[in-house]
Amino acid sequence: NAGVTQTPKFQVLKTGQSMTLQCAQDMNHEYMSWYRQDPGMGLRLIHYSVGAGITDQGEVPNGYNVSRSTTEDFPLRLLSAAPSQTSVYFCASSSFDRFGTEAFFGQGTRLTVV
Amino acid sequence: AQKITQTQPGMFVQEKEAVTLDCTYDTSDQSYGLFWYKQPSSGEMIFLIYQGSYDEQNATEGRYSLNFQKARKSANLVISASQLGDSAMYFCAMRESGNTDKLIFGTGTRLQVFP
């Protein structure tokens, strides 16, 4: 059981470049989310999805796009990378069925924008 | 607005001793869940323990227990018999009821266990 898989694990981008962070889960979870982690700020929600075809913005959505065409996949797109987007990105998934169930996190993607 | 506050940026504890990591929260919801996650130096997020707002007893998971004081809006993590492998960042998080899965995280506490 792979859980939540994120790729790549490390990435360096030049300012203005675009890229997609991949996230896939094999637990048939309805909920999927993207967070960014910056020093001293904990994790902050970027975008989330409550099911295929449904997405919404979190606390820090600017500069990021998401889509969810399948239950399994929830890619995060950076349209024009900026140094302020240098961060560690986590994808998470959880089940709607039980409120008390924990969110499962991927291993994270460390992104540096130069 | 919902908020999680962790006031201890860093904590030290000797091996085999107990340690309490503080967490206070702010919410107007009656139904919510509180979580603690561990992040070792390798970077992954590891779920430790969960407490529901309507749970009457404090949650326990092995050496981890959650000291839940609803009236004070606090959800402190207690680690008993600390081990060197407990050295990590610890995050408190809250999920509110509703048809979403938004987690609000605190800024974390770095715990260092020394021999």
Side-chain angles (χ1 to χ4, degrees), chain A:
Chain A
N1 189 349
V4 180
T5 302
Q6 285 183 238
T7 55
K9 291 189 177 180
F10 301 94
Q11 183 71 50
V12 179
L13 286 180
K14 292 182 179 179
T15 297
Q17 286 185 317
S18 63
M19 80 158 295
T20 298
L21 307 185
Q22 302 290 346
C23 176
Q25 52 96 4
D26 61 0
M27 297 171 282
N28 201 33
H29 285 167
E30 300 85 357
Y31 293 137
M32 295 187 75
S33 310
W34 277 101
Y35 295 85
R36 61 178 287 173
Q37 182 179 17
D38 301 296
M41 300 188 73
L43 279 74
R44 293 181 293 167
L45 182 65
I46 305 171
H47 286 285
Y48 66 98
S49 168
V50 299
I54 306 170
T55 64
D56 205 346
Q57 297 180 350
E59 181 185 358
V60 288
N62 292 342
Y64 308 95
N65 275 0
V66 293
S67 61
R68 189 154 177 215
S69 56
T70 67
T71 299
E72 294 78 18
D73 300 301
F74 190 44
L76 178 72
R77 281 181 284 276
L78 283 71
L79 303 178
S80 178
S84 61
Q85 294 179 304
T86 293
S87 187
V88 179
Y89 292 84
F90 286 97
C91 178
S93 76
S94 65
S95 171
F96 173 74
D97 288 341
R98 294 185 296 148
F99 180 69
T101 188
E102 72 272 24
F104 293 83
F105 285 81
Q107 293 289 323
T109 296
R110 186 173 294 273
L111 175 68
T112 302
V113 182
V114 298

Side-chain angles (χ1 to χ4, degrees), chain B residues 45-96:
Chain B
M45 297 291 288
I46 302 169
F47 166 73
L48 295 178
I49 196 166
Y50 164 80
Q51 179 83 43
S53 58
Y54 291 115
D55 294 340
E56 294 186 352
Q57 291 191 339
N58 288 343
T60 60
E61 290 285 349
R63 294 185 299 110
Y64 305 108
S65 61
L66 200 152
N67 184 1
F68 182 48
Q69 298 188 41
K70 195 171 182 177
R72 294 187 176 184
K73 293 190 174 179
S74 73
N76 298 339
L77 177 70
V78 180
I79 305 175
S80 63
S82 297
Q83 302 172 355
L84 296 178
D86 293 334
S87 294
M89 280 290 288
Y90 288 81
F91 291 98
C92 180
M94 176 173 64
R95 175 194 288 154
E96 295 191 332

Side-chain angles (χ1 to χ4, degrees), chain B:
Chain B
Q2 309 84 21
K3 187 177 181 181
I4 294 283
T5 301
Q6 295 180 254
T7 58
Q8 305 156 314
M11 290 283 286
F12 288 89
V13 66
Q14 192 168 25
E15 201 176 6
K16 301 181 184 178
E17 297 294 311
V19 63
T20 298
L21 306 184
D22 294 342
C23 173
T24 59
Y25 60 91
D26 189 18
T27 180
S28 56
D29 260 22
Q30 297 300 309
S31 178
Y32 50 89
L34 296 156
F35 301 80
W36 278 92
Y37 282 86
K38 173 184 178 181
Q39 186 179 46
S41 58
S42 52
E44 70 268 33
M45 297 291 288
I46 302 169
F47 166 73
L48 295 178
I49 196 166
Y50 164 80
Q51 179 83 43
S53 58
Y54 291 115
D55 294 340
E56 294 186 352
Q57 291 191 339
N58 288 343
T60 60
E61 290 285 349
R63 294 185 299 110
Y64 305 108
S65 61
L66 200 152
N67 184 1
F68 182 48
Q69 298 188 41
K70 195 171 182 177
R72 294 187 176 184
K73 293 190 174 179
S74 73
N76 298 339
L77 177 70
V78 180
I79 305 175
S80 63
S82 297
Q83 302 172 355
L84 296 178
D86 293 334
S87 294
M89 280 290 288
Y90 288 81
F91 291 98
C92 180
M94 176 173 64
R95 175 194 288 154
E96 295 191 332
S97 62
N99 192 22
T100 70
D101 187 36
K102 296 180 184 179
L103 282 172
I104 308 297
F105 283 85
T107 52
T109 296
R110 181 170 298 281
L111 176 67
Q112 295 190 49
V113 181
F114 59 94

